[in-house]
Structures are given as C-alpha cells and as structure tokens.
C-alpha cells in the first residue's frame, strides 16, 4: 500500500507491450517490455516475459523451449507484493519431420495460456499479461509466425477513510 504522500497529485506510468511472435520460419520471438508506475525511484516495475525460442523441422524429436516468465516485484516505498509474475511458456515439439506442435504461451494472473492448434496455423495472441502461443505446422505445411504476447496492465484501487 502507498500513502497519499507517496502518490501525490499524479504519477507517470507506462504499460508494457507484449513481445512480437517469431516471424514465419525458425525465428525467435521477442521479449515484452516492462510495466512501470512512477519515475526516478520507481514505485513499481514488473518486467516483461522473454520471447520463445524458434522451432525448426527436424528428422528426429526436438524440443523448443518457451520464453521465460515476467518477474513480479515488491514496490519501492510500499508494502506487500504489488506486481504478479507470470508463468513461463511451454515447449514445442518437432516430431520426426511429420509435424511440429506449438508451445503454449505463459499465463499471467489475468490471462491463461493459449490452447494448442490442431491444423497448420499462426500462433495465437496472448491475453492480458500472458504469452502468445507458437505456430503449428503439419506435415508439409508452410511456415507460420508465432503469436504476439499480451500487453501488461496496471490496476489502481483507491481506499479512503
């Protein structure tokens, strides 16, 4: 919690954006940007999650790991956990050159992991604060891009006495 003196008349903020999914082909996704509230000695900052690793067709079984989770933080000058970290993305699998299963993006307090695809398709965009899924390619389907991560969020609740 913060006192009225901590907040003052106003505070600048920046809502982080979700990282881009990897371009079609064997390309990594990019990490999301941080969400911040305050300046200088920032009152709160939550880091964006990492981008997922590229997956390429393979003649054996290959695992491609998802992106790292964003980091939750305890605010400067406040008390208690104010920023919730998410879960990392799941791995994708390339299966003997027959198909490539997409990994699901990491979940957050506000958004769940995207479901697996069952036909050749681009990755799905993540919900608020969650990661986008990897693409799915079946047999000789064309390469597809990964899904964009969801944007961050700031929620402010004011209590008065």
């Amino acid at each position: 919690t913060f006192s009225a003196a901590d907040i003052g008349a106003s505070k600048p903020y920046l809502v982080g954006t979700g990282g881009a999914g990897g371009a079609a082909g064997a390309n990594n996704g990019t990490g999301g940007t941080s969400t911040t509230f305050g300046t200088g000695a920032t009152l709160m900052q939550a880091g964006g999650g990492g981008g997922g690793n590229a997956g390429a067709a393979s003649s054996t079984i290959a695992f491609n790991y998802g992106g790292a989770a964003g980091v939750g933080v305890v605010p400067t000058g406040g008390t208690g956990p104010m920023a919730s970290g998410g879960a990392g993305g799941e791995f994708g699998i390339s299966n003997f050159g027959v198909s490539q299963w997409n990994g699901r993006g990491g979940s957050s307090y506000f958004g769940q992991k995207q479901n697996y695809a069952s036909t050749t398709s681009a990755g799905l965009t993540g919900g608020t604060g969650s990661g986008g899924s990897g693409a799915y390619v079946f047999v000789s389907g064309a390469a597809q891009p990964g899904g964009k991560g969801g944007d961050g969020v700031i929620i402010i609740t004011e209590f008065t006495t």
Side-chain angles (χ1 to χ4, degrees):
T1 58
F2 297 103
S3 70
D6 291 330
I7 301 300
S10 66
K11 284 288 182 230
Y13 64 91
L14 176 65
V15 176
T17 57
N27 298 293
N28 294 339
T30 61
T33 60
S34 294
T35 295
T36 60
F37 181 72
T39 59
T42 301
L43 294 177
M44 185 193 82
Q45 179 173 345
N53 294 314
S58 175
S59 59
T60 62
I61 290 184
F63 296 91
N64 305 294
Y65 295 95
V71 178
V73 296
V74 176
T76 302
T79 60
M82 300 289 285
S84 176
E90 294 180 355
F91 61 86
I93 302 171
S94 182
N95 183 20
F96 297 106
V98 175
S99 61
Q100 186 168 336
W101 288 278
N102 60 320
R104 296 190 302 174
S107 62
S108 76
Y109 180 82
F110 298 100
Q112 64 183 17
K113 295 180 179 193
Q114 291 294 347
N115 292 327
Y116 297 108
S118 58
T119 60
T120 295
S121 61
L124 302 173
T125 298
T128 301
S130 65
S133 72
Y136 178 84
V137 178
F138 184 74
V139 189
S140 59
Q144 300 291 316
K148 176 191 177 302
D151 294 337
V153 63
I154 296 174
I155 298 175
I156 298 172
T157 304
E158 181 179 7
F159 295 97
T160 59
T161 55

